[in-house]
Amino acid sequence: SSNQIYAFLDQTVSYSEDECKNIYSTDGQGTDQFFQDADGKKLMACGPVSGNAQGSYLTMLSADGLMFGIINIVGNFGTVFVDQSYWQSAIAARPSSAAKGYLLGGICWFAIPFSLATSLGLASTALMLPINSGEAGSGLVPPAVADHLLGQAGSALILIMLF
């Protein structure tokens, strides 16, 4: 349930660096850990998040989130102004229909990536899945969570959704 995921995330933030090393080790003692790389950079989601308000995973006050939002807005404005299909649609439609259509389309577009990123990203952290930052950056969190929760059926559903 959502209360259980919130409790797991709250517990994850409270872990110290030594506890994280013990969790992400092959022997449970932290001697052979894969929580950090050789340079000391965190590879796994454990402990507080730097740049987030109070280190929380459940916050809207995130420096990295703000940067992503700015980049996304600038990129999407560029897509709208440069892509010919947007101009053709706007010219062919009545102004009142075009405005409603663009707003409705934006709301529909936003709901899918926002809900998937939030739910599956928080689930991977709460379940303590061994996903490193490179894998997360490559977009492998949704398939990992789906595979963990639903097995091969989850992997198939992610593939169907993507293609």
Side-chain angles (χ1 to χ4, degrees):
S1 76
S2 60
N3 291 336
Q4 187 178 18
I5 289 176
Y6 180 80
F8 285 150
L9 290 172
D10 193 38
Q11 183 180 5
T12 301
V13 172
S14 67
Y15 287 138
S16 69
E17 189 171 315
D18 291 332
E19 290 172 319
C20 291
K21 287 180 182 178
N22 288 339
I23 290 169
Y24 291 109
S25 66
T26 54
D27 61 0
Q29 303 300 316
T31 54
D32 186 21
Q33 55 92 19
F34 52 96
F35 170 64
Q36 295 174 326
D37 63 7
D39 297 331
K41 182 181 174 192
K42 285 174 42 172
L43 297 174
M44 302 294 170
C46 187
V49 180
S50 62
N52 285 8
Q54 300 174 349
S56 175
Y57 289 91
L58 298 172
T59 183
M60 295 300 282
L61 300 174
S62 169
D64 291 337
L66 177 65
M67 181 62 70
F68 172 77
I70 291 169
I71 291 169
N72 199 8
I73 288 171
V74 170
N76 289 338
F77 270 118
T79 300
V80 169
F81 288 123
V82 175
D83 191 354
Q84 183 65 29
S85 64
Y86 285 102
W87 288 102
Q88 289 172 345
S89 299
I91 291 170
R94 290 190 317 263
S96 61
S97 298
K100 291 175 188 171
Y102 279 119
L103 288 174
L104 184 60
I107 291 169
C108 292
W109 174 88
F110 176 76
I112 295 169
F114 178 76
S115 61
L116 281 176
T118 302
S119 61
L120 296 178
L122 291 175
S124 72
T125 303
L127 294 170
M128 295 274 192
L129 296 180
I131 302 169
N132 64 34
S133 59
E135 293 168 341
S138 297
L140 297 176
V141 173
V145 172
D147 184 62
H148 181 78
L149 295 176
L150 303 171
Q152 288 183 335
S155 300
L157 288 172
I158 290 289
L159 282 173
I160 290 169
M161 184 183 67
L162 286 176
F163 299 108

